Amino acid sequence: MIEVQGQRRRAVANPVGVGAFLVIAFGATWLWYSVAIVVLGLSIVNPVVQLPMGVAPAVAAMVVRRWITREGFGDAGLAVRFRESWRWYLGAWLGPVGLAAAAVGLALIIGLWRSDGGLSVVRTVPILLVMVVVLVPVYWGEEFGWTSYLRPRLFPDRPRRSVLTTGLIWAVWHYPLALLGYINFSNVVLGLAIWTISFIAQETILAWLYLRSRSVWTASLAHAGNNMVLSFLAGELLAAQLGDTVLTAVVAVPLGVVAAWIMLTGRLDRAATAASYVPRPRVTPLSHQPHLLGP
């Protein structure tokens, strides 16, 4: 018997598709912010105003895949793959709890924070973990757009550069939140710089989970956890004493450590290589196959 060698499935950089995706994702979101806040007088903290954060990237990816490039959804990572990837789901689910503990511990060790009895919020962790699972579909929209569609089409042969660029673009897309009152940096330029580093670190982790599991759902679960567990717990415990700028920096440290570990140990590169490898089926030549109808 002979075996045909496997193939490397390479993502193709398509400037038209990438450009269309960015125009739709940025245009729809920022246009809605202008209408909602300037015309309708709504607040940026209103969940209705924030709805495009989860919808626009998904719509952009769907439109591009279906009607502009017509490449379809074969590489979108829509399969759950829970049986073979359960440990990555577990890490995505519980990881934000560890990151929150690390951020609070760091603030305590370096003397930026003193416990004022507010640790009762820790009791909400089980509830938050349930909410994370429930809200995964909400955060799926961003991951389907940024991590599943855009990332593999930016520098397809260079996973590190692709992740760094995607994280930077993802951060810029969020900038209106800092400029419209959702988060209040004492120094806007410094705050946005730290926030950008935080987004790049998050994208590194999310992309790694996506590549290891070959499913967009692990990244969506981790994204939900970063928002509902890491950001919530750190905010509730630290924000009053640290302020938004220092809080963002403290939270960025454990995210950055994990992202650096993924990058510097080659884990991202190996995950990208493994995810792009599609084995071909074993082929038995006709001369070696059993004769069922006689000699």
Side-chain angles (χ1 to χ4, degrees):
M1 299 179 67
I2 63 173
E3 183 175 352
V4 178
Q5 294 293 324
Q7 291 182 338
R8 299 287 179 185
R9 182 180 58 197
R10 301 175 61 186
V12 178
N14 186 321
V16 174
V18 169
F21 170 82
L22 292 175
V23 167
I24 297 171
F26 274 81
T29 306
W30 289 7
L31 177 61
W32 166 241
Y33 284 158
S34 301
V35 172
I37 295 172
V38 177
V39 179
L40 301 180
L42 300 176
S43 170
I44 191 65
V45 300
N46 187 326
V48 175
V49 177
Q50 296 179 39
L51 185 61
M53 300 296 286
V55 175
V59 171
M62 290 179 183
V63 169
V64 172
R65 285 179 177 275
R66 177 65 180 86
W67 289 290
I68 297 179
T69 62
R70 300 182 183 273
E71 60 201 282
F73 300 85
D75 67 337
L78 294 175
V80 177
R81 302 181 186 276
F82 185 78
R83 283 188 66 181
E84 63 265 39
S85 302
W86 64 267
R87 58 177 178 163
W88 304 113
Y89 279 96
L90 186 63
W93 188 43
L94 299 180
V97 179
L99 291 170
V104 174
L106 175 64
L108 180 64
I109 290 171
I110 62 180
L112 291 175
W113 175 74
R114 298 192 314 272
S115 174
D116 56 2
L119 288 175
S120 59
V121 70
V122 175
R123 299 172 186 170
T124 66
V125 169
I127 299 174
L128 294 175
L129 288 174
V130 173
M131 291 178 61
V132 165
V133 176
V134 172
L135 293 175
V136 164
V138 175
Y139 294 96
W140 170 88
E142 283 193 64
E143 294 312 307
F144 181 71
W146 304 117
T147 304
S148 172
Y149 178 78
L150 181 63
R151 177 197 52 79
R153 287 160 180 80
L154 296 174
F155 310 105
D157 296 322
R158 297 189 174 186
R160 296 187 190 187
R161 183 176 295 185
S162 176
V163 166
L164 292 174
T165 306
T166 302
L168 175 61
I169 293 172
W170 186 36
V172 173
W173 182 71
H174 279 84
Y175 281 3
L177 294 181
L179 302 175
L180 296 172
Y182 180 79
I183 186 170
N184 297 299
F185 293 126
S186 54
N187 183 313
V188 175
V189 175
L190 177 61
L192 287 178
I194 297 171
W195 214 24
T196 300
I197 294 172
S198 176
F199 276 109
I200 292 174
Q202 288 187 70
E203 179 58 29
T204 302
I205 298 170
L206 297 175
W208 181 59
L209 288 169
Y210 174 88
L211 291 168
R212 289 306 306 258
S213 64
R214 291 185 295 135
S215 175
V216 70
W217 296 103
T218 53
S220 303
L221 180 63
H223 189 161
N226 286 343
N227 282 36
M228 300 305 302
V229 177
L230 172 57
S231 295
F232 177 80
L233 290 178
E236 288 294 309
L237 291 170
L238 305 177
Q241 295 183 37
L242 271 61
D244 286 348
T245 303
V246 178
L247 171 62
T248 302
V250 168
V251 171
V253 170
L255 286 169
V257 169
V258 175
W261 172 72
I262 293 171
M263 287 279 197
L264 297 178
T265 59
R267 281 172 166 78
L268 181 68
D269 292 333
R270 291 196 297 271
T273 299
S276 66
Y277 184 75
V278 183
R280 294 282 299 275
R282 295 171 65 91
V283 178
T284 303
L286 292 176
S287 60
H288 290 177
Q289 294 180 0
H291 297 279
L292 303 180
L293 300 178

